[in-house]
Amino acid sequence: MLKQRYLTHFVLVIALLSVITSCRNASNTSGATTSDTVQFHSIVIRDSIFDSKKSSIIVDANISLPDANKQLFRLFTKELLGINGDSIDANQAVKSYVNNILDFYKSPGDTIESDLEDETEKVSRYEICHRIVPIYNAAGIVSIKKTTSLTKNGTSTMNTNAYITFDVYKMTRIGIDDIINEEYTSDVEDLLKEQLMKQEDVTNQSQLFDMGYFNIDNLSASNNFYITNKSIVFAYQPYEIACLQVGEVCIPLTFKQLDPYKKDNDFTAKLFD
């Protein structure tokens, strides 16, 4: 088993923090980062096991959590890690998260039929990377990017991003139904399609289909979004609306575009100010 490493130092994080999405470029350091409204502490843990088929399972986690406010820490550990943070600190929370991933991969779920074993590539090494970092942190609003990547025998097989937004002042996770009136859902969907055609420099949805966008009819304003200074960016994973070659699709809608459809509440007043 690889030795777990904990090393801390303090740095300043900028409002939009670039996410490291490759395990090979991962930093071996941890530290506290201070942003506009929330101080984050980054924890780096790398651990490994051998599964029942003697394959090496390696988990590399680089996770930023708020540790100055206990209530906020509990909210983030629950929503980002699926862990109860009542009686643990940030190091313990990330360690538990890594252990849960290792436990999941400990017993391979797929059993290969004996007559197919020679035709199936044997995986001797899995490496799972998780990066969780703030990418927007201002005015009591925090957007988090959660990147998951998987390699098998050194070959990348999966790379996905999920985004989660929080109202720090109210200690809650924000969904799109907190921002957009439900009666305007179809209007926002039309905006998304128009914006996608604009950024792909096409004039109709048939051209999008030719580019690999096979599911435009189901394009919707989902909860997988993040905030910037000027917009809400809706993100779609590979195969969600387009083929793998297209990759992740991000569609920004400015606050000006969304203003006619927003709800009237404290969060939107702060966001659209």
Side-chain angles (χ1 to χ4, degrees), residues 29-231:
T29 62
S30 320
T33 59
T34 304
S35 294
D36 295 348
T37 58
V38 179
Q39 179 173 292
F40 283 85
H41 188 77
S42 63
I43 307 295
V44 177
I45 295 181
R46 183 179 172 91
D47 203 355
S48 68
I49 60 170
F50 288 96
D51 67 14
S52 60
K53 293 187 177 180
K54 306 304 181 184
S55 297
S56 174
I57 312 295
I58 302 168
V59 176
D60 183 2
N62 186 336
I63 297 174
S64 297
L65 292 171
D67 57 0
N69 184 302
K70 189 62 178 178
Q71 185 179 355
L72 194 60
F73 173 77
R74 287 196 297 266
L75 173 65
F76 275 57
T77 53
K78 175 185 176 183
E79 296 291 344
L80 300 177
L81 308 183
I83 291 172
N84 186 330
D86 285 343
S87 58
I88 57 177
D89 61 21
N91 281 339
Q92 293 169 324
V94 177
K95 182 179 178 181
S96 295
Y97 182 67
V98 169
N99 287 340
N100 288 342
I101 297 171
L102 289 172
D103 287 342
F104 177 82
Y105 283 94
K106 186 178 295 182
S107 299
D110 297 327
T111 301
I112 300 173
E113 298 294 337
S114 57
D115 58 339
L116 296 178
E117 285 186 350
D118 292 339
E119 302 175 16
T120 305
E121 179 186 8
K122 291 180 174 60
V123 180
S124 61
R125 177 187 175 96
Y126 295 87
E127 189 161 0
I128 305 104
C129 289
H130 284 247
R131 300 285 180 267
I132 301 178
V133 294
I135 56 172
Y136 183 82
N137 189 356
I141 302 170
V142 174
S143 284
I144 298 291
K145 183 175 185 177
K146 183 175 182 178
T147 299
T148 302
S149 59
L150 171 67
T151 63
K152 296 180 181 181
N153 293 338
T155 301
S156 177
T157 60
M158 181 184 73
N159 192 351
T160 62
N161 297 314
Y163 302 90
I164 304 98
T165 296
F166 297 92
D167 184 335
V168 172
Y169 298 148
K170 290 192 174 181
M171 298 289 178
T172 58
R173 179 175 176 174
I174 297 299
I176 196 62
D177 56 348
D178 296 307
I179 302 173
I180 302 299
N181 270 310
E182 185 177 358
E183 62 185 291
Y184 297 127
T185 299
S186 60
D187 296 279
V188 175
E189 290 172 354
D190 289 341
L191 280 178
L192 286 167
K193 293 172 185 176
E194 291 171 8
Q195 180 62 30
L196 179 59
M197 287 190 289
K198 181 179 179 181
Q199 65 191 44
E200 292 290 6
D201 195 25
V202 299
T203 57
N204 59 66
Q205 292 185 37
S206 295
Q207 291 173 297
L208 287 175
F209 183 83
D210 292 338
M211 296 175 67
Y213 289 92
F214 59 82
N215 198 23
I216 295 300
D217 288 341
N218 292 320
L219 182 62
S220 63
S222 72
N223 285 323
N224 197 33
F225 67 86
Y226 62 93
I227 305 298
T228 73
N229 288 327
K230 297 181 179 180
S231 64

